[in-house]
Amino acid sequence: MNEACWNSLNNDGDIYDPTRLALVSLPYGEGPQKVMPLGLQNISAYVKKHVAHVKCKIFDYSDLYTSDTHELKDLIDWQPALVGISIYSSHVQAAIAWGQLIKSALPETVLFCGGPHISLAAKDFLRVSNGIFELALYGEGEHSTTRLLNLFNKSRKEAPPSSPTKNTNKNPTPKQVFIDNHLQDIPNAVWISATGETHETYKQKIQLPATEWENPLLDYCSERLQNLYFTDRRDGKKRRSIALTSSRGCPLACSFCAIVAADKDGPKWRAVDASTLVNWIAEAHKQYSFEHVYMMDANFFVRKDRVLEFSEKLYKLFGGEVTWSSSSTVGYLLKLRAELPKLVAQGLRLVEMGIESGSQTQLDYMNKRVTVKDNIDAIRALQINGIDVGLDFIMFYHDQQKREIIENLSFLLKSGMTEHESFDHYFNIMMIYPGTPVRYNLERKIGFKFDLIDLPNSRQLIENQEVKEIYDAYIDYFAKPLLNSLEEAISINIEKISQSTSLGEIAHLSLLNIYLRHMPFKILWGLCQRTGERTVIFTGKEFLTYTSIIKKTLHGKEPNKSPKPVALETFTLGVGGRKGELIGKSS
């Protein structure tokens, strides 16, 4: 940042320009639902309400690749005084690389970090980032960020004006004053001093009460706004959408869940009441044009009375013109099973369901506290009522037997999920997130403790030799070389169906797509039935029939592959979005 810019920051009184705060969401992968960075929306809305003399912008790079660092130009050109980066365990290295670039371009900018990974491993992250970040804020960020900004504004007044003439005795910048005098006054903060000592401040309001949350939809904008739509099959229209969270945490304790691990301090689940939530949406509707609301809570259906009140009030407010979707775990969904027809009539269109497995031993291992029958009943309840199913499912995990893969496939067959439009559930592998019981148990078993900055490669941790052979063959001989082409062929057929006037052609293409949609199931089932050299299946007649249909459908043109290979750096929101190594399908 140049001297003229910092002179403008250091004017006395209230006449200086507002302090510029950039909140940054890093690349995390792909998925059909791209949403604004939800946590940053909450922080930005709170900061703007509680801090005087600040200008805050959200820079959302979440839909990019880690290598797209040239996109940082808009942030650097804005020259913020402070930059806050939200960090997940899946993109620690991306945070370090992008943070280094920001620091090099803006050396007098305060660079700080927060987010789920920081709440789990703040000290370890600062250690490996080697001085790139001035400090880390653990826990929920509203209160700490507000305090940070107020102290930085104080530093601006305390820092003497820069001399217009060059000399060797430069006056300290606001950043220097802030670091030297005020870091210790920020709650929930961790930093490393110039001598290498780690410092941690006092804890305060790590979990902000729901009554103090601000409306995140009033900050539904960024420098790179991603337009969000919902395909409403029931009404046959494409709806412009918004997304928000109305609750935090989860009352369950699934053994693999990073949300539970990062939210370990204080109550496990809390939410704004239904009236406040509807008022937020009504307030936002005055500013934005939307017809659908994505409730992106980890578990929206926790309280039956709240869900029913929200749905009824939203319906009355908009007369059914604004629909909604949400998330639930199986147990909570089943408690609302009798109410689903009413919810559909009031606008419910999709529920993202945390099914996770079709194997009872896997469900027990994950501490899901449901049965396979419960999972089937929950999916059937949605299907019967014409509610789209968003399937969260983990096909593979490190401590698994071949029998459990077969049980997963049998479950998909029994529940009618073999023709689900997304293929993600066939390839997901359990991620070993810091702070989770799954990770602790694995570390105990292997006698080795993973570094908190590492997200272990789950593929390398598969113990059973048969499972390893199946997974390796499935990923390397089917998913990576062919999945893009398969998806593209199905998309081409769908487009042809929409344009065709021939009932015969429509019937033929529809049946062809059903056949192609069964391909991932059939290949994985076949790999589980074989012994010995499993890759022989990929030279067999049935597999060659599949590939010939795909090639014929593509008519020689290349499928829409990812523009460049990407490393393992996966974090997804919403329905779908491959986890694990398949984020870079074309690599």
Side-chain angles (χ1 to χ4, degrees):
M1 193 171 290
N2 60 38
E3 190 170 313
C5 180
W6 279 104
N7 282 337
S8 70
L9 289 177
N10 292 329
N11 291 333
D12 292 330
D14 291 331
I15 60 172
Y16 55 76
D17 293 335
T19 295
R20 295 180 182 182
L21 168 66
L23 296 175
V24 177
S25 178
L26 293 174
Y28 60 70
E30 65 171 346
Q33 291 185 19
K34 287 296 186 183
V35 300
M36 285 285 294
L38 304 171
L40 298 187
Q41 281 180 237
N42 293 324
I43 293 173
S44 180
Y46 190 86
V47 160
K48 289 179 178 179
K49 184 72 175 289
H50 294 273
V51 181
H53 225 62
V54 66
K55 186 173 183 179
C56 180
K57 282 187 180 182
I58 295 174
F59 290 81
D60 182 11
Y61 303 113
S62 60
D63 62 332
L64 300 179
Y65 292 87
T66 300
S67 56
D68 291 331
T69 52
H70 61 278
E71 296 283 355
L72 280 169
K73 184 177 184 302
D74 55 350
L75 182 148
I76 292 168
D77 288 347
W78 193 52
Q79 294 196 324
L82 304 101
V83 173
I85 298 181
S86 180
I87 300 176
Y88 294 91
S89 298
S90 51
H91 58 215
V92 167
Q93 297 306 322
I96 293 172
W98 284 51
Q100 179 63 65
L101 290 171
I102 295 170
K103 193 176 187 71
S104 297
L106 303 170
E108 289 301 331
T109 292
V110 175
L111 189 60
F112 66 100
C113 56
H117 184 78
I118 299 305
S119 294
L120 293 168
K123 295 176 183 177
D124 293 80
F125 177 79
L126 290 179
R127 172 178 53 80
V128 297
S129 64
N130 198 27
I132 294 173
F133 292 84
E134 267 70 48
L135 75 160
L137 303 178
Y138 57 85
E140 294 179 1
E142 289 99 332
H143 184 71
S144 297
T145 306
T146 296
R147 180 67 174 155
L148 184 157
L149 282 164
N150 284 328
L151 290 169
F152 186 82
N153 278 341
K154 183 178 180 181
S155 299
R156 289 177 63 178
K157 295 181 179 181
E158 293 173 352
S162 298
S163 171
T165 60
K166 294 183 179 180
N167 57 69
T168 57
N169 297 316
K170 290 184 178 180
N171 290 322
T173 64
K175 175 180 178 177
Q176 291 172 307
V177 174
F178 171 73
I179 291 174
D180 291 343
N181 300 335
H182 298 301
L183 286 184
Q184 67 276 4
D185 299 323
I186 303 170
N188 316 320
V190 180
W191 75 95
I192 299 177
S193 68
T195 59
E197 296 177 289
T198 301
H199 299 271
E200 185 172 353
T201 62
Y202 61 99
K203 292 184 178 181
Q204 183 176 350
K205 284 190 178 180
I206 290 179
Q207 288 190 338
L208 196 69
T211 53
E212 296 182 27
W213 300 350
E214 299 296 338
N215 184 354
L217 292 174
L218 296 186
D219 238 41
Y220 203 78
C221 59
S222 81
E223 291 302 288
R224 302 182 68 258
L225 182 62
Q226 301 170 23
N227 292 324
L228 183 66
Y229 292 92
F230 176 76
T231 301
D232 188 338
R233 295 177 178 83
R234 190 180 189 89
D235 295 343
K237 65 184 299 186
K238 188 177 181 181
R239 296 180 177 273
R240 188 171 178 85
S241 307
I242 57 170
L244 77 156
T245 52
S246 65
S247 63
R248 301 183 189 180
C250 179
L252 302 181
C254 299
S255 61
F256 63 92
C257 184
I259 295 173
V260 175
D263 204 35
K264 61 184 179 298
D265 295 309
K268 289 185 176 181
W269 182 86
R270 61 265 189 234
V272 296
D273 59 60
S275 294
T276 299
L277 176 54
V278 173
N279 288 339
W280 279 0
I281 295 170
E283 195 174 8
H285 202 263
K286 296 175 183 177
Q287 298 187 34
Y288 309 107
S289 173
F290 59 86
E291 303 170 286
H292 185 84
V293 179
Y294 282 108
M295 300 308 308
M296 301 297 292
D297 306 45
N299 203 340
F300 185 73
F301 274 37
V302 169
R303 272 186 32 216
K304 179 178 179 179
D305 59 335
R306 178 175 177 265
V307 174
L308 295 175
E309 183 183 355
F310 162 75
S311 183
E312 183 176 355
K313 288 185 175 180
L314 186 72
Y315 179 77
K316 287 182 178 179
L317 178 64
F318 295 108
E321 293 299 313
V322 174
T323 55
W324 61 285
S325 58
S326 69
S327 59
S328 180
T329 48
V330 168
Y332 290 116
L333 187 283
L334 290 176
K335 289 180 181 179
L336 274 156
R337 178 164 37 182
E339 308 290 346
L340 290 178
K342 180 198 297 184
L343 295 178
V344 171
Q346 293 173 345
L348 176 60
R349 293 294 180 266
L350 177 147
V351 175
E352 182 179 2
M353 185 77 69
I355 296 289
E356 312 307 351
S357 180
S359 165
Q360 192 60 54
T361 52
Q362 277 189 258
L363 290 172
D364 295 341
Y365 175 78
M366 297 176 189
N367 196 34
K368 291 297 296 181
R369 303 179 187 177
V370 293
T371 65
V372 174
K373 182 181 183 302
D374 292 333
N375 285 351
I376 293 175
D377 288 347
I379 289 178
R380 292 289 188 210
L382 296 178
Q383 293 168 333
I384 289 169
N385 288 283
I387 302 170
D388 283 349
V389 181
L391 186 62
D392 287 347
F393 197 81
I394 303 173
M395 180 63 72
F396 301 97
Y397 70 100
H398 59 280
D399 187 12
Q400 184 180 39
Q401 304 297 313
K402 183 179 75 171
R403 164 186 56 82
E404 293 167 316
I405 302 176
I406 296 173
E407 289 171 348
N408 278 342
L409 291 171
S410 299
F411 164 79
L412 294 176
L413 192 62
K414 292 176 183 177
S415 62
M417 286 286 102
T418 53
E419 293 171 34
H420 192 57
E421 66 178 359
S422 169
F423 291 140
D424 300 352
H425 50 287
Y426 288 111
F427 305 101
N428 289 343
I429 186 168
M430 181 183 287
M431 309 306 290
I432 314 298
Y433 290 107
T436 60
V438 161
R439 183 149 161 160
Y440 290 140
N441 291 338
L442 178 60
E443 288 174 335
R444 252 194 327 267
K445 189 172 184 178
I446 65 178
F448 173 77
K449 192 172 181 62
F450 298 108
D451 194 310
L452 281 174
I453 67 151
D454 290 332
L455 193 59
N457 186 331
S458 298
R459 177 175 185 167
Q460 295 177 354
L461 295 169
I462 295 175
E463 298 175 13
N464 182 275
Q465 184 59 33
E466 277 195 300
V467 173
K468 178 173 175 52
E469 290 173 2
I470 291 167
Y471 184 81
D472 288 349
Y474 195 48
I475 299 301
D476 295 336
Y477 288 84
F478 169 54
K480 286 185 175 180
L482 200 60
L483 191 55
N484 271 336
S485 299
L486 171 62
E487 292 177 327
E488 183 73 2
I490 292 172
S491 297
I492 289 172
N493 285 340
I494 291 173
E495 186 177 356
K496 289 180 180 178
I497 290 169
S498 68
Q499 297 172 352
S500 177
T501 57
S502 167
L503 293 179
E505 183 182 35
I506 291 172
H508 171 71
L509 293 174
S510 298
L511 289 173
L512 196 61
N513 267 1
I514 292 174
Y515 182 74
L516 291 177
R517 285 195 186 281
H518 286 179
M519 186 178 183
F521 179 97
K522 292 278 287 182
I523 298 302
L524 184 53
W525 183 271
L527 287 169
C528 289
Q529 303 308 313
R530 293 190 67 87
T531 56
E533 182 54 56
R534 286 186 164 84
T535 57
V536 172
I537 193 174
F538 300 108
T539 60
K541 181 178 179 181
E542 185 172 24
F543 185 79
L544 295 177
T545 300
Y546 279 122
T547 56
S548 66
I549 293 172
I550 292 170
K551 289 177 182 177
K552 184 177 179 180
T553 305
L554 293 177
H555 291 296
K557 69 178 183 179
E558 289 295 316
N560 292 325
K561 295 183 179 180
S562 304
K564 55 180 76 73
V566 293
L568 174 63
E569 51 172 27
T570 162
F571 178 81
T572 57
L573 291 170
V575 181
R578 286 183 187 82
K579 303 172 179 66
E581 59 192 274
L582 284 184
I583 282 294
K585 292 179 294 178
S586 62
S587 59

